[in-house]
Amino acid sequence: MSADPLRQIVAAAMASPSVHNVQPARWRIDGESLVLLEDTARRLTVGDPRGNDAAISLGAAAEGAVIAASGAGLATRIERLDASNTGGLWPVARLTFVPGAAADPLLAVLETRASWRGDLLPPTAQDRAAAQALAGEDRVLITDPAAIARAAAAYDRASYGIMRGPAFRAELRHWMRLRRSHPDWARDGLNAAAMQLSGIEAAGAGAVLGPLFRPLAAVCLAPVLLAEAKGFANAAAVVLFHRAADEDPFDSGRAFHRLWLEVDAAGFGGNVLAALADDPVAAAAVCAAHGIGPERRLVSAFRIGRRDGAPFPRARLPLAEVLLS
């Protein structure tokens, strides 16, 4: 196999999701294989100190490559690597390819999937049915409006609890690009367009998460200003994604990516509700309320619905930075 098909696989896999859009995946062509590495400089030292979210992001990148390779009729074998960190790069997996695969049905949405934090159209009965059709052994679909409202309230409580940490807020703001003049606006992180923020809203978000947080928290306004419950009003469903408690987060990331692609393939936009899984109290409560047993781990959650608005360009690093020589 020449290097060109491998470059095309990496280019398509770059569309894969990652925590805060930090894009930790790096690739190297090694003969007819691809080696996946983690750029450890992009790990969230406050929000992800144990590297769980990084591993999920890398698993998602690997699954993106698997799906992309299927478009060229290639089946993929993934071999996990156990090697030392060299120059800030940690070898994660080797992907080798053999002919004989049919195109993955999710290939059509691999490079168009994107987080949707904008408005949603009021769900129809057909929308709720289409959402419920996404149910499976590793996900629970909440479609009842009252139950969605309870999940939204739980999410806001968990999110605010996490946001109260000044180090977490500083790290989050580091990855936010609130003005188009930011040098990394189109490269990585969370830009205002992706977060569906107007110029005024973006400036307000920067202030609330920055110098105004403590005074606003003192008068109980910070949780009100940061609340997102109103954004759930038109959600067709909240998806609770759970996996075996002892599963490698890399493998969870592969399944997470496929689920998100299924959401897009169904015609929905999805927005990750990370705080529901990241806050132990919230995760335990939502699992208990929806029959997810202690042998399972809540990996993530989504708010999904029909998008009400135009798509936006995604921020991505150039291929030359992701595919190493």
Side-chain angles (χ1 to χ4, degrees):
M1 184 189 303
S2 70
D4 284 343
L6 296 175
R7 280 194 288 267
Q8 292 168 8
I9 290 170
V10 172
M14 287 168 55
S16 304
S18 62
V19 57
H20 285 3
N21 194 30
V22 303
Q23 300 171 63
R26 298 292 178 269
W27 299 89
R28 181 173 285 133
I29 295 174
D30 184 12
E32 296 189 347
S33 300
L34 285 171
V35 175
L36 172 62
L37 308 103
E38 178 191 358
D39 181 350
T40 57
R42 288 182 169 256
R43 188 171 290 189
L44 303 176
T45 57
V46 178
D48 184 30
R50 292 177 294 180
N52 178 80
D53 293 342
I56 289 173
S57 301
L58 292 161
E63 189 62 25
V66 171
I67 295 169
S70 77
L74 298 172
T76 308
R77 181 172 71 89
I78 297 180
E79 173 194 0
R80 295 300 304 279
L81 299 177
D82 184 13
S84 60
N85 187 342
T86 304
L89 296 172
W90 194 282
V92 175
R94 179 183 297 275
L95 282 66
T96 56
F97 307 95
V98 295
D104 193 296
L106 297 174
L107 179 64
V109 292
L110 175 63
E111 296 186 74
T112 58
R113 178 219 57 83
S115 180
W116 181 257
R117 291 179 171 85
D119 293 336
L120 299 173
L121 295 170
T124 64
Q126 291 79 7
D127 289 336
R128 296 197 189 280
Q132 196 61 57
L134 293 168
E137 64 179 10
D138 63 358
R139 74 286 301 257
V140 171
L141 272 292
I142 305 172
T143 55
D144 174 68
I148 290 174
R150 288 193 292 272
Y155 169 74
D156 276 342
R157 287 193 298 271
S159 180
Y160 181 67
I162 294 170
M163 291 285 187
R164 291 178 65 185
F168 180 89
R169 294 197 308 276
E171 186 174 65
L172 175 61
R173 289 173 64 220
H174 172 76
W175 288 101
M176 294 173 75
R177 288 75 173 98
L178 298 175
R179 297 183 180 181
R180 289 186 180 273
S181 58
H182 193 291
D184 294 323
W185 170 274
R187 287 171 46 85
D188 58 16
L190 306 168
N191 68 37
M195 293 185 287
Q196 297 284 295
L197 299 176
S198 68
I200 293 175
E201 289 170 331
V208 172
L209 291 173
L212 295 184
F213 185 88
R214 291 183 64 184
L216 289 171
V219 294
C220 300
L221 283 178
V224 176
L225 293 171
L226 293 172
E228 298 183 39
K230 62 182 181 299
F232 289 74
N234 287 336
V238 167
V239 186
L240 304 177
F241 174 60
H242 57 92
R243 302 287 290 183
D246 60 353
E247 183 174 67
D248 185 336
F250 178 88
D251 295 325
S252 300
R254 294 185 63 187
F256 169 80
H257 191 183
R258 294 193 67 85
L259 170 57
W260 199 339
L261 292 173
E262 288 178 42
V263 168
D264 271 53
F268 295 120
N271 176 33
V272 173
L273 310 172
L276 275 182
D278 292 345
D279 180 85
V281 174
V286 75
C287 286
H290 296 282
I292 301 172
E295 75 285 358
R296 308 291 289 180
R297 175 173 59 94
L298 186 65
V299 176
S300 192
F302 293 89
R303 178 194 66 178
I304 69 172
R306 301 287 175 184
R307 302 176 189 86
D308 184 12
F312 52 86
R314 291 177 304 177
R316 284 294 181 268
L317 296 171
L319 179 61
E321 292 185 28
V322 173
L323 182 56
L324 308 176
S325 58

